[in-house]
Amino acid sequence: MSSFAAWGLTLLGLAVICTIAELLLPHGKTRGVIRSVMATVAVLVIVTPLPNLLKNGFDFDFTEDTVKLDTEYIEYTTQKRGEILARAAEVYLAQSGYDGIEVSVTMDGYKVKSVSAKIVHSSIKPDDTHINNSEIKKLLAEYFGIEKEAVMAYG
């Protein structure tokens, strides 16, 4: 436990003790004397760490040892975000008439870097003679707000 935490706990304990003592003290002259003693002790507890702080100085510098990024968690959340975006894109494509398409998303931090669409099984629209890959690319590029060249459709 750091010295600052120990000092805080000491102050908290002193406050609890003073409150309990205040409730138990009888009314009269003794009460005033005991209150003065408790106030003096409280001031001493508050002032005790000051000479040490003044001598050593205040150091609020956070080094790499105290603050670290959890890269595994960041990678995990980025992966999950990509999976959620891919499922949402599949729903969007199904609503646009292209069902049976598996979408995978490659993330670059918080942005979508590239998208690939694998046509697993899809029904052909009545007015089309084949599945329109360029239309799928266009829909996905618009959905993710990326260039059409970053979208690949195959299958």
Side-chain angles (χ1 to χ4, degrees), residues 3-4 7 11 43-55:
S3 59
F4 183 73
W7 179 63
L11 285 176
V43 168
L44 288 174
V45 168
I46 292 171
V47 173
T48 300
L50 289 179
N52 193 21
L53 282 174
L54 293 174
K55 184 172 73 173

Side-chain angles (χ1 to χ4, degrees), residues 48-103:
T48 300
L50 289 179
N52 193 21
L53 282 174
L54 293 174
K55 184 172 73 173
N56 295 337
F58 296 94
D59 186 18
F60 295 110
D61 183 30
F62 294 109
T63 61
E64 290 181 16
D65 295 335
T66 58
V67 178
K68 293 183 181 178
L69 286 176
D70 191 352
T71 54
E72 290 178 8
Y73 179 73
I74 292 172
E75 289 172 3
Y76 171 77
T77 55
T78 302
Q79 175 192 358
K80 287 299 178 186
R81 185 170 188 265
E83 291 173 5
I84 291 169
L85 289 173
R87 296 305 141 270
E90 289 174 2
V91 170
Y92 174 71
L93 288 174
Q95 291 172 346
S96 300
Y98 295 99
D99 57 340
I101 298 176
E102 291 180 1
V103 177

Side-chain angles (χ1 to χ4, degrees), residues 4 11 15 74-75 95 119 121 130 139 148-149 151 154:
F4 183 73
L11 285 176
I74 292 172
E75 289 172 3
Q95 291 172 346
I119 303 167
H121 60 281
H130 65 281
L139 287 171
K148 192 175 177 183
E149 292 78 26
V151 180
Y154 61 95

Side-chain angles (χ1 to χ4, degrees), residues 105-115 146-147 149-151:
V105 177
T106 304
M107 302 293 292
D108 183 21
Y110 291 105
K111 290 184 169 186
V112 175
K113 182 178 180 183
S114 64
V115 178
I146 59 176
E147 297 293 323
E149 292 78 26
V151 180

